[in-house]
Amino acid sequence: MGFLPLIKPYLIQPFSRHTPERRYYLLGMPVFLLLGNYYLIGLPYFRNLSAFFIGTVSSAGFYWLLVGALRLVVRTVIGRFPHVRQAASRTLTMLLLAAGITTGLAVIYVWFYSLIPVLNVSFSWDTVLPIWIVSYIVDVFLCTGISVYFTYSQWETNQIENDRLKRMALQHQFDALKGDLNPHFLFNSLNSLSALIGEDTTKAERFVDDLARVYRYLLQAGKHELTSLQTELDYTRVYANLLKTRYGDSLNITFHVADEYRLRSLPPLTIQTLIDNAIKHNVMSVSNPLTIRINTLPDGRLEVKNVLQQKINKIETTRAGLANLTVRYDLLSDDKLVIQQENEWFIVTVPLIDLGHI
């Protein structure tokens, strides 16, 4: 593929992009003008000043018309068939359209010359036929070269993008592991446990069990790309119990999940990430509790929404949790995470992946 960068400026770019580099097209003009006029007019083209002038101007006009038409065809076809897997359709369509244009222009070209007496050209199909043959050969090389190069460029771009997404995913896994073992979470949990031991030993024992289940799930989550919604809900309820012990009536988390979607899949820790994001960016109190609702939608997506009670002194943040979730879905599914704000609600809609239809 080492020759491809060499042909890009001279073969691909002039036809596939808008560019002021007219010198690319000028390279082909001498061949088109001299050979075309010599074929149709013969030696009088070089001997008769009027024939030379009229033939040159006429050929130049047809040449630029042809270049413009081919550029339009290439850009249109590439826009219609932009993907690597569409290479065959792209090449065939480009060839057919280019052949149609050159066929028509060749006829018009000879006919136009026949109308000018000083050129002394007679219109006949025998005269048009060699022009068709040469034009079709040029069309094949031009369209095939453009399509091959474009396919290679798209493949290379896809590889670069895939590598970028994989690096981001690896970084996410590392960040998630650091967040999963967050010492602040453990410290707060131990403080809550310490308070419970002196107040209610039964609750304290249940708290320890829930904390162990949470950390067990956290440590296993990084080993799997997807988990079932039911498994994620079971874990989230345990995690919500820990949060409820800490925040009491200041936090209200509700679940409304249809049974038919419980076997669908999503990335592990998705719901926890959205809950943590809501707690991080909003205030809560007993008199003004933070409400978080987790429910499924009729179209098979999961919606996690929280009341907007944003902190007055907000800490500048890039919402890394939401960014990581977006990247994970870019890797796993064509469906995208939807983040929106409606009135007093902050809403994240999560696609649920049906593994049976992949």
Side-chain angles (χ1 to χ4, degrees):
M1 293 298 181
F3 69 95
L4 288 173
L6 298 178
I7 68 173
K8 178 180 178 181
Y10 300 98
L11 179 61
I12 310 303
Q13 186 169 306
F15 289 96
S16 61
R17 298 182 183 178
H18 292 283
T19 171
E21 302 295 339
R22 300 297 182 186
R23 66 178 182 272
Y24 298 135
Y25 310 128
L26 295 174
L27 294 175
M29 284 190 65
V31 176
F32 185 88
L33 268 60
L34 295 177
L35 292 183
N37 282 304
Y38 178 74
Y39 169 72
L40 290 175
I41 303 173
L43 288 177
Y45 172 67
F46 300 101
R47 295 174 178 174
N48 187 315
L49 184 60
S50 297
F52 180 84
F53 177 78
I54 295 174
T56 300
V57 173
S58 300
S59 294
F62 276 100
Y63 176 77
W64 287 106
L65 180 62
L66 176 63
V67 168
L70 290 178
R71 290 185 70 218
L72 179 61
V73 165
V74 170
R75 292 200 305 272
T76 302
V77 173
I78 286 177
R80 178 63 180 83
F81 303 100
H83 303 296
V84 172
R85 63 179 180 273
Q86 297 174 316
S89 299
R90 179 171 55 248
T91 304
L92 182 60
T93 304
M94 201 179 295
L95 278 171
L96 291 175
L97 292 177
I101 290 173
T102 54
T103 297
L105 277 179
V107 175
I108 296 173
Y109 184 45
V110 176
W111 173 78
F112 179 81
Y113 269 49
S114 69
L115 298 179
I116 304 174
V118 71
L119 300 181
N120 194 29
V121 175
S122 299
F123 180 87
S124 70
W125 295 113
D126 290 337
T127 304
V128 175
L129 182 60
I131 300 178
W132 280 345
I133 294 174
V134 173
S135 298
Y136 296 153
I137 294 174
V138 173
D139 288 343
V140 169
F141 279 99
L142 178 66
C143 295
T144 303
I146 290 175
S147 186
V148 168
Y149 182 85
F150 184 80
T151 301
Y152 170 77
S153 298
Q154 289 299 96
W155 174 83
E156 190 175 44
T157 300
N158 291 342
Q159 290 297 109
I160 294 173
E161 180 65 13
N162 288 337
D163 290 342
R164 185 185 69 84
L165 291 175
K166 288 178 181 178
R167 287 195 299 270
M168 292 181 68
L170 290 174
Q171 182 63 43
H172 161 73
Q173 292 179 2
F174 178 68
D175 293 339
L177 180 59
K178 292 189 296 182
D180 295 342
L181 301 177
N182 194 323
H184 295 290
F185 173 72
L186 181 59
F187 178 77
N188 292 329
S189 298
L190 292 177
N191 279 340
S192 300
L193 176 61
S194 177
L196 282 177
I197 290 175
E199 298 175 2
D200 190 329
T201 55
T202 302
K203 281 188 176 181
E205 291 177 359
R206 187 162 59 248
F207 186 89
V208 171
D209 290 340
D210 288 344
L211 186 60
R213 292 174 64 186
V214 164
Y215 268 88
R216 186 181 304 114
Y217 188 84
L218 290 175
L219 293 173
Q220 294 176 349
K223 301 177 182 178
H224 306 283
E225 290 185 339
L226 294 170
T227 188
S228 69
L229 176 59
Q230 182 62 58
T231 301
E232 184 77 356
L233 288 172
D234 291 341
Y235 162 75
T236 304
R237 285 192 171 91
V238 175
Y239 183 70
N241 289 337
L242 293 179
L243 295 176
K244 191 70 175 176
T245 301
R246 179 182 175 190
Y247 295 110
D249 293 334
S250 299
L251 180 64
N252 180 29
I253 302 177
T254 61
F255 298 83
H256 300 282
V257 177
D259 291 339
E260 60 263 32
Y261 302 124
R262 293 176 180 268
L263 294 181
R264 293 196 180 184
S265 301
L266 72 170
L269 306 177
T270 294
I271 303 177
Q272 178 194 328
T273 299
L274 298 177
I275 291 175
D276 290 345
N277 184 73
I279 293 174
K280 180 178 181 180
H281 295 282
N282 295 275
V283 296
M284 64 180 81
S285 65
V286 175
S287 60
N288 190 27
L290 176 63
T291 298
I292 302 175
R293 296 179 181 175
I294 301 164
N295 55 277
T296 49
L297 301 176
D299 60 2
R301 295 181 296 163
L302 182 72
E303 181 183 75
V304 180
K305 57 193 296 189
N306 64 269
V307 175
L308 277 174
Q309 300 172 174
Q310 293 183 335
K311 296 178 180 178
I312 298 176
N313 297 322
K314 294 187 295 183
I315 300 175
E316 292 297 328
T317 176
T318 58
R319 295 191 182 273
L322 293 179
N324 284 333
L325 274 181
T326 300
V327 172
R328 292 167 78 183
Y329 266 98
D330 286 341
L331 285 170
L332 295 171
S333 172
D334 292 332
D335 295 327
K336 305 298 182 182
L337 208 70
V338 179
I339 303 171
Q340 57 188 334
Q341 181 175 324
E342 292 183 1
N343 300 323
E344 74 276 14
W345 292 96
F346 181 81
I347 306 170
V348 179
T349 306
V350 179
L352 294 175
I353 301 172
D354 188 354
L355 296 179
H357 289 80
I358 294 182

